[in-house]
Structure formats: structure tokens, C-alpha cells
Amino acid sequence: MSTVTLNIKGKVAYLSLNRAEKYNALTQEMWQAIGDACDALAQDQSIRVLVLSAQGDKAFCAGADIQELHSMLSNPDAFAASNEIVQVAQQKLAALPFATIAQINGVCVGGGMGLAMCCDFRIAVNSASFAITPSKLGLLYSLADTQRLVDLVGLPRAKELLYLGKKIDASTAASWALVSDVVEREVLNTATDTLIAQILSVSGYSISGTKRSLAFLCEANAQASNNKAAIKQLFDDAFHGEDFKEGAAAFTEKRPARFR
């Protein structure tokens, strides 16, 4: 089976990560496949809902594939190029002209968080956990990811997650509005189906138009309050910084980082 599969049932598309044995860790190839699937879905006017899910019962997505990550830690340019593939795929997912649901079945870290936050709704099992950890590698979260996080949880909570690489449980994620709903694992599919039915009961044109309107407003706010070029330069420069060298070495050597 492919590591990323797309199935369509009537008006509902199902996009699945299929690396349960690797905690659904994402490779560049998988990110590309996600972007390609979004391209196809954006052209299909019959689709009203996308469900993004993952195989297994331990992880929605543990972030980047460890082997691929190790190969890039000594090559900042390759790391930066990989992040560009990630950002393009996320932008395509966020821009889909219909409602999207992330079905979070376990650990949701790094790139998994990025994927989930691109969706309109996030339903998580009560055993799920969440973390964003670039600060532990001496890197920054991308501007787009950071904006989505702030839009969801607000500035103080975003600082806790981004500054500290803090891990939170599903209950906390719900209280912070990071997830839409928390359910028992055995009713995850039922809860998702209920939300799908609610979405299909209202106007698809209204959802699409409202989604575009909200995206415009959020983007306008970001444009007004940030010098995007300068912030993006900070993100790019991090891959060549001393903290990243130490963070990468610590990650490779499986020890705590000693940042200056």
C-alpha cells in the first residue's frame, strides 16, 4: 500500500497516511503526494468534505521521518528545500475550497501539527498528545504555521508551545481550542461521520465562500502586522545558525542540547 492514499466516496474524500509502523512520520515523497492529492481535489467540484486520517492507534503523525531528518541535519540547504515542499503542500491543503477534517488518532507532533492546523476541524482521541518542537533544534516554526497556531490558540498559548516545545494532552488542546472535539477512540469514526453529515446539510457554496473570506481576513491581518520578508529571512537563516548546529548534533547524539 502507498504511504499516502486518496479515496473518494460520493461527496467525501479520504486522505490517509499509511506508515503506522513509523508513527506515520512524513517523508518528502509523502509531502509531495499530499500536495498532488490536494491539486486533484481542488479541481473536483463534486467534493464537499475531506477527511485527513492516519493508520494505527498510536500516532496521527510524529513529524519528519527520522532517517530522512538525520540525512538533512548536516545539510542546511537540503533541510530548507525540504521545508519548501512541506509549506507548499500545507498551503494547498489549507486552500481547498471545501471543509476539511483532521481525524487525530494519537501523537501529533511537528509536521503532524502543521497538517492538522491546515484543516478546518480537528477531532482527537482522548489519548492524543500535541507538541511543536523547532526550539529544541535551534529552528523557527514557519511564518504560515505560526500564524495558524496563533489564530487557533492565541498569542500567550502559542508562546508556551513554540518557546518551550511544550507537550500537551488532548484535554488541554481542547481547552486551548487547538482541537474542535475530543472523543473516545471507539467513537472517533462515528464523531467524524456526524460532523460530515452536518457539513453536508448546509450550503457548500456558503462554506466555500466563507472559507475564502476568513482566509482573506486572516491574511490581511498578517500582512498589516508583519514584515513578511524579514521574518522569512529569520526562518531561512536559522538553518545556518550555531544553535541549529548544536541542536542537530544533540538530536543525532541523543543528548540534551547545550545552547549558548
Side-chain angles (χ1 to χ4, degrees), residues 22 30 36 62 96 113 126 138 165 177 205 213 223 238 246-247 257-258:
K22 298 290 185 180
M30 291 172 71
D36 291 344
L96 285 173
M113 282 282 291
N126 54 9
Y205 180 86
S213 298
Q223 292 280 5
E246 168 57 18
R258 296 185 289 269

Side-chain angles (χ1 to χ4, degrees), residues 101-250:
I101 304 168
Q103 193 181 64
I104 302 170
N105 58 319
V107 172
C108 185
V109 177
M113 282 282 291
L115 270 179
M117 290 193 300
C118 287
C119 293
D120 300 309
F121 301 95
R122 286 156 297 282
I123 302 176
V125 296
N126 54 9
S127 59
S129 59
F130 303 83
I132 303 171
T133 57
S135 64
K136 295 185 177 181
L137 274 176
L139 296 175
L140 278 69
Y141 215 32
S142 77
L143 188 58
D145 283 322
T146 301
Q147 183 66 58
R148 293 184 192 109
L149 180 66
V150 172
D151 288 343
L152 287 171
V153 305
L155 187 59
R157 298 304 192 191
K159 288 180 179 180
E160 284 191 63
L161 290 167
L162 293 172
Y163 288 9
L164 307 177
K166 184 175 183 176
K167 179 181 177 181
I168 60 174
D169 59 20
S171 177
T172 301
S175 70
W176 289 9
L178 186 60
V179 298
S180 315
D181 197 10
V182 176
V183 299
E184 299 285 342
R185 182 176 300 278
E186 57 267 25
V187 299
L188 179 60
N189 289 333
T190 301
T192 303
D193 289 342
T194 298
L195 179 54
I196 291 171
Q198 291 174 327
I199 292 167
L200 294 178
S201 73
V202 299
S203 164
Y205 180 86
S206 293
I207 288 179
S208 180
T210 300
K211 186 168 182 175
R212 289 181 63 183
S213 298
L214 291 170
F216 170 79
L217 291 171
C218 290
E219 184 176 344
N221 289 337
Q223 292 280 5
S225 59
N226 293 311
N227 182 332
K228 292 188 71 174
I231 300 299
K232 187 176 187 305
Q233 191 61 53
L234 287 173
F235 177 82
D236 293 340
D237 288 348
F239 293 101
H240 302 276
E242 292 301 318
D243 277 5
F244 175 59
K245 292 178 184 177
E246 168 57 18

Side-chain angles (χ1 to χ4, degrees), residues 66-79:
I66 293 297
Q67 288 186 325
E68 198 169 78
L69 180 62
H70 272 294
S71 71
M72 291 187 294
L73 288 177
S74 60
N75 187 343
D77 291 332
F79 210 131

